[in-house]
Amino acid sequence: MEKPTATPRPKTEATSSNSSKTIVNDVSAEYVSAISAFFQKVGVSHSNSIPDFCNTKYFYSHLMRDAIKPDQVLRGRITCHLTVTPIVANFYASLHGGAIAAIAEMVSIACARTVVAEDKDIFLGDMSISYLSGAPIHAEVMVDCSVVRSGRNLTVVAMEFKVKKTGQLAYTAHATFYNKPIAKL
C-alpha cells in the first residue's frame, strides 16, 4: 500500500512595509486594511500599554474575585451572584469569554474543594465551556456549580450561568480535576 503524500503548499513571499506589519502577497491590501480597522475599533493597537497599577502580581485574579459574590456554599454545591460590569465586558457589551472562563475555573475549584479533603492537592485537567448567549452589561448572573462525580482520583464539576432577570441559560461549563495522592513517607 502506498503512503499518501502531502501536497506542497504554494510558497508566498512576505513583504514588510514597516517593522510592525507583515503582509503576505496573496492577501489583498483591502482585506488587511479591513482587519486593521476592526482591531482598532475594538481597542487593539500597537500603541496600547498596560497601566502600572494593572501590571502587578495577581491583578487579574483579584479583578475576577471582585466580580463574584458567594450566595450559598454546601457540600458539593456552590451558588454565586455575578454582576456584569464594564470591567469584565467585551466590545459587544456582554460578559467577556475570558472572564467567564476565569470565573468558571475559580468557582469550580471552590466547589471541588467542598468534597475533596484539604490535604489532597487537585489540579484542573480539562475544562469545557459552551457560550450559548450573552449576558449584557449590568445584568446579574446566577452561577450554579455542583459536583457531578467525585472519587479517589477524579472530581467532575458542572456549572450553569443563568441571567437572573430572564432565567435564560447563557453559559455552561464542565471541569475535570485530578486528585493527587497523598505521599506516604
Side-chain angles (χ1 to χ4, degrees):
M1 185 170 176
E2 272 186 51
K3 275 188 172 180
T5 57
T7 307
R9 295 178 70 180
K11 292 185 179 182
T12 58
E13 294 292 321
T15 59
S16 180
S17 59
N18 63 32
S19 62
S20 66
K21 292 182 184 178
T22 301
I23 302 171
V24 179
N25 286 338
D26 61 349
V27 177
S28 72
E30 186 177 298
Y31 185 73
V32 171
S33 176
I35 295 297
S36 295
F38 171 77
F39 280 140
Q40 288 176 350
K41 185 177 177 183
V42 297
V44 177
S45 73
H46 69 291
S47 64
N48 287 347
S49 62
I50 298 172
D52 287 337
F53 72 92
C54 298
N55 207 7
T56 60
K57 191 173 185 179
Y58 305 121
F59 173 79
Y60 190 69
S61 294
H62 294 305
L63 183 67
M64 292 301 109
R65 242 181 259 126
D66 288 343
I68 57 175
K69 304 292 180 231
D71 180 41
Q72 186 178 47
V73 179
L74 303 170
R75 179 172 167 76
R77 186 179 184 104
I78 292 181
T79 304
C80 298
H81 295 275
L82 164 66
T83 302
V84 182
T85 60
I87 294 171
V88 293
N90 59 20
F91 174 75
Y92 303 104
S94 65
L95 187 57
H96 191 283
I100 295 163
I103 290 166
E105 179 192 19
M106 263 186 238
V107 176
S108 63
I109 289 170
C111 190
R113 274 283 164 216
T114 66
V115 296
V116 177
E118 279 295 319
D119 59 347
K120 272 191 170 182
D121 286 334
I122 62 172
F123 66 94
L124 181 62
D126 181 52
M127 179 174 274
S128 65
I129 301 171
S130 296
Y131 300 90
L132 307 172
S133 66
I137 292 179
H138 305 300
E140 190 170 337
V141 178
M142 297 297 298
V143 181
D144 190 27
C145 184
S146 59
V147 173
V148 175
R149 176 177 181 253
S150 185
R152 186 174 53 149
N153 299 321
L154 185 66
T155 301
V156 180
V157 175
M159 300 181 73
E160 290 184 341
F161 293 74
K162 290 183 180 179
V163 178
K164 187 176 180 181
K165 185 177 180 181
T166 63
Q168 180 181 12
L169 184 62
Y171 319 101
T172 62
H174 290 83
T176 303
F177 294 94
Y178 295 99
N179 308 334
K180 290 183 183 179
I182 301 169
K184 296 178 183 176
L185 297 177

